[in-house]
Amino acid sequence: FPLDELTCEIEVSSWFLDGIDQPLSPWQTDGGFEWDDENAFQHYHFRGVSVVKKDLYYSCCPDRPFNTLYYRLKFQRAWSFY
């Protein structure tokens, strides 16, 4: 503190539809996030995003994948307020 780096992890998946009926995939360029001056935070600086896609299979329907996207957002606390 105050120069610490913070992370936020987000998991996105469907509760009902599988990956055939509702395929989930991140954007190729930035993982699905657009950042510009309007997305700035007063107390934090955005440092990056990463995304991993995993297909899960269940015994009820082994031929139907269930997609899950795991996002990790990284921020750094703005030191100018301290």
Side-chain angles (χ1 to χ4, degrees):
F1 179 83
L3 298 177
D4 53 343
E5 185 172 284
L6 308 170
T7 59
C8 175
E9 296 178 352
I10 301 170
E11 180 178 331
V12 178
S13 63
S14 173
W15 290 8
F16 180 72
L17 298 174
D18 58 37
I20 294 173
D21 294 324
Q22 183 184 22
L24 298 176
S25 60
W27 292 354
Q28 295 297 320
T29 56
D30 60 4
F33 286 87
E34 294 181 16
W35 297 94
D36 54 28
D37 290 339
E38 292 184 17
N39 291 321
F41 299 99
Q42 183 177 7
H43 297 285
Y44 300 94
H45 297 291
F46 178 70
R47 293 296 180 218
V49 61
S50 63
V51 60
V52 174
K53 178 183 177 183
K54 293 187 180 178
D55 293 332
L56 303 174
Y57 294 88
Y58 296 98
S59 59
C60 67
C61 32
D63 59 334
R64 301 184 73 87
F66 287 82
N67 308 134
T68 304
L69 300 177
Y70 298 92
Y71 286 93
R72 177 174 282 195
L73 306 169
K74 293 183 181 180
F75 299 89
Q76 185 175 24
R77 194 180 310 266
W79 58 268
S80 61
F81 297 100
Y82 304 101

